[in-house]
Amino acid sequence: MPLRFYNTLTQRVEGFAPLTGNTVRMYTCGPTVWNFAHIGNLRTFTFVDILRRWLRYRGYQLDHVMNITDVDDRIIQQALAAGQSLGEYTAAYTKAFLDDAALLRLERPERLTPATEHIDAMVKLIAGLRQRGCTYESEGSIYFRIASFREYGKLSHTDFSGIRAGTRVDTDRYDKADARDFALWKAPKPGEPFWESELGPGRPGWHIECSAMAMHYLGDTLDIHGGGIDLVFPHHENEIAQSEGLTGKPFARFWLHAEHLILESQTMSKSLGNFITLRDVLAQGYPPEAIRYLLASVPYRKRLNFTADSPKAAATAVERLRNFELRLKTEKFPAGESEWLAARAEQARQRFEEGMDDDLNTAEALAAVFEFVREANTAMDAGDFRSANVAPALDLLERFDRIFDVLRPSERAGGLSDAAVEALIAERAQARARRDFARADQIRKQLAEQGVILEDTKDGTRWKRH
Ligand SMILES: [Zn+2]
């Protein structure tokens, strides 16, 4: 079965290939830099990262655009309250977002574009919509007339035909019950930043920025548009109305949405005050790779219930894989090949790939890897793992890590984690007990390379980092 994704637009799983050539043209909605990203936001960005990596694994090239929303209602409010300019205020949170992304090893999209650098493209798009009769003005603001777009509601699968025409909503974020004509260009209020334009002075609404930047860089029809599930309405519904209202062509062929992250079984939300940031979790001592693993391990269309124990379980899973990799690289195995294990490695690779092809079913892909690791560890203990089995096992780990990217410890964590150091020390003690001093020395050297010093005492081995 080929690569396939669940498409929110058609509500079906569909085989995926780019429209033209080998390049996937993709737009995903970026952060609004009014505050720190919470761990639920970062789940969506991790999903996008896994999507990018899997598309490339399958041989595609990427032209991926992600915006940084650096002007909207909340940012303006916060910047005014802090007595800062828009640019000063958003620079700090843009940097915080990029730091979080780097800690989680999220690849940079080919283009990361701040909204305020694309005001011209937005003005042009609004002027085009005005020409086509899709807009009207009121008190210096310009609104999109949703009655002008017959298919309004097709993404969220909602019938909006009964709503009263001509009523307006000025805020960027609202729910279905509030579906009304929405602002494309907002007249400046006293003290607020604004841009001079052919539309008059003002600033863009949130929705128009994504339509404008997506089409500016990627053309009228994208292969993939993605984001969090909370963006389906109104944000993506409005993006479709604006873009297709202008071009008359499909705006995006595939719409992919990541489900919510639930914090101890409650939806995380800044407005509800129950949210945690990556910094909060890292402050508890977990390595960032464990959090990356945790966010990636639940398939993106399933809710992820984040509990106090989740990071620990993820850290343990990562540790198991690292220990397995270490065994492969350091233990000496008898010559030859166990044929059944070679076959199991091949099956694991296939099952891993089939899982990922199936709408990025990361749980299935991980199950394939862990099952193999369990069998191989058992075979190693029984002396049934042979030297020719090493390369295919390492190949499986390499394929896994091209997507999940958790095997290399962060520099911050000082190389090996404490658990990995302890495991090696225990293994060294066993080697010494069976008078395998070559292996014991090898482990001592390996730890020294990682900056870990051992001290043997009559009470056992102590260790420290230097
Ligand atoms: Zn967007």
Side-chain angles (χ1 to χ4, degrees):
M1 286 276 273
L3 176 57
R4 55 211 185 271
F5 297 126
Y6 179 84
N7 189 347
T8 308
L9 184 64
T10 60
Q11 296 181 301
R12 282 202 313 263
V13 175
E14 298 172 28
F16 175 82
L19 190 59
T20 51
N22 197 45
T23 301
V24 176
R25 286 166 308 118
M26 173 159 92
Y27 186 93
T28 57
C29 294
T32 299
V33 284
W34 73 289
N35 203 328
F36 294 110
H38 64 57
I39 200 91
N41 302 138
L42 294 171
R43 189 226 179 157
T44 299
F45 296 121
T46 305
F47 145 67
V48 170
D49 182 72
I50 298 289
L51 170 63
R52 282 180 55 89
R53 290 171 187 247
W54 191 250
L55 287 166
R56 266 215 320 279
Y57 185 105
R58 280 307 189 204
Y60 294 119
Q61 292 186 313
L62 294 173
D63 191 357
H64 173 200
V65 179
M66 188 171 88
N67 63 305
I68 294 204
T69 298
D70 56 354
V71 55
D72 89 333
D73 301 340
R74 293 176 301 185
I75 291 172
I76 290 171
Q77 221 174 51
Q78 300 285 326
L80 282 175
Q84 290 180 318
S85 74
L86 221 50
E88 284 166 346
Y89 184 81
T90 57
Y93 289 110
T94 301
K95 182 177 181 304
F97 171 74
L98 295 176
D99 289 348
D100 287 353
L103 281 168
L104 289 176
R105 301 180 182 180
L106 307 183
E107 292 183 348
R108 276 281 180 112
E110 280 62 34
R111 292 179 243 247
L112 192 61
T113 58
T116 51
E117 289 176 20
H118 297 79
I119 302 290
D120 287 350
M122 298 171 209
V123 168
K124 207 174 115 198
L125 177 46
I126 297 168
L129 286 170
R130 181 160 68 178
Q131 227 166 32
R132 297 190 64 123
C134 302
T135 70
Y136 60 90
E137 288 187 40
S138 175
E139 294 169 14
S141 293
I142 302 177
Y143 296 87
F144 186 92
R145 189 193 306 277
I146 61 176
S148 71
F149 186 65
R150 250 185 337 108
E151 296 174 283
Y152 193 80
K154 70 177 174 180
L155 183 69
S156 54
H157 303 281
T158 313
D159 181 6
F160 291 112
S161 58
I163 65 163
R164 275 192 304 139
T167 56
R168 297 179 294 277
V169 55
D170 280 296
T171 57
D172 285 330
R173 286 166 172 82
Y174 52 90
D175 59 27
K176 282 180 195 173
D178 239 350
R180 283 174 284 170
D181 296 339
F182 58 92
L184 298 166
W185 189 253
K186 303 186 184 194
K189 296 196 188 100
E192 286 191 351
F194 63 92
W195 286 261
E196 291 291 351
S197 79
E198 62 177 279
L199 308 168
R203 64 179 172 96
W206 172 39
H207 314 295
I208 196 70
E209 75 173 66
C210 287
S211 286
M213 288 189 279
M215 293 199 292
H216 176 73
Y217 287 112
L218 300 170
D220 293 346
T221 302
L222 324 175
D223 289 309
I224 297 176
H225 196 314
I229 190 99
D230 51 323
L231 298 186
V232 172
F233 188 89
H235 186 53
H236 289 164
E237 197 74 73
N238 290 353
E239 281 191 44
I240 290 177
Q242 296 160 155
S243 304
E244 300 189 4
L246 182 77
T247 67
K249 297 177 204 160
F251 176 44
R253 299 167 54 232
F254 281 77
W255 287 88
L256 272 56
H257 292 101
E259 254 294 347
H260 285 296
L261 182 148
I262 307 293
L263 189 57
E264 305 283 0
S265 302
Q266 278 195 315
T267 306
M268 183 151 33
S269 140
K270 282 181 196 148
S271 53
L272 292 176
N274 67 323
F275 70 96
I276 49 173
T277 65
L278 181 60
R279 283 138 226 266
D280 297 334
V281 188
L282 297 182
Q284 295 168 22
Y286 294 109
E289 310 89 82
I291 310 309
R292 174 178 169 84
Y293 180 91
L294 168 58
L295 296 179
S297 60
V298 176
Y300 77 96
R301 286 208 300 126
K302 286 209 161 70
R303 287 185 168 197
L304 193 162
N305 190 14
F306 192 101
T307 67
D309 292 335
S310 320
K312 192 167 178 219
T316 305
V318 170
E319 214 52 66
R320 260 179 79 199
L321 295 173
R322 286 181 182 168
N323 289 339
F324 179 63
E325 186 188 35
L326 200 59
R327 285 191 91 173
L328 288 171
K329 288 183 171 168
T330 56
E331 279 186 32
K332 271 201 84 62
F333 302 104
E337 181 183 51
S338 287
E339 280 183 27
W340 71 274
L341 256 177
R344 295 296 293 128
E346 173 61 16
Q347 283 163 10
R349 182 187 63 77
Q350 283 178 19
R351 193 178 153 203
F352 173 79
E353 291 179 346
E354 280 162 16
M356 292 302 292
D357 277 342
D358 180 15
D359 197 24
L360 308 179
N361 187 342
T362 49
E364 174 67 14
L366 288 173
V369 172
F370 276 101
E371 195 174 309
F372 176 76
V373 169
R374 185 173 51 77
E375 287 180 342
N377 271 324
T378 306
M380 285 174 179
D381 296 340
D384 200 16
F385 194 98
R386 304 302 177 87
S387 58
N389 295 116
V390 171
L394 283 174
D395 177 67
L396 178 67
L397 282 185
E398 185 275 326
R399 288 168 187 273
F400 154 83
D401 211 39
R402 250 192 268 169
I403 309 305
F404 287 87
D405 199 358
V406 293
L407 292 181
R408 172 178 50 88
S410 290
E411 283 167 25
R412 254 168 59 111
L416 292 173
S417 68
D418 290 3
V421 172
E422 301 281 8
L424 280 167
I425 290 173
E427 198 197 328
R428 176 171 169 268
Q430 285 167 11
R432 279 154 60 109
R434 62 173 190 266
R435 308 190 68 75
D436 183 357
F437 296 111
R439 174 68 186 139
D441 261 351
Q442 196 184 23
I443 292 173
R444 174 188 277 278
K445 270 194 203 144
Q446 189 195 339
L447 286 168
E449 277 168 16
Q450 300 281 340
V452 175
I453 311 291
L454 302 186
E455 185 194 345
D456 293 311
T457 72
K458 63 177 168 47
D459 298 318
T461 303
R462 287 196 291 231
W463 65 276
K464 61 179 180 194
R465 300 180 192 277
H466 79 107

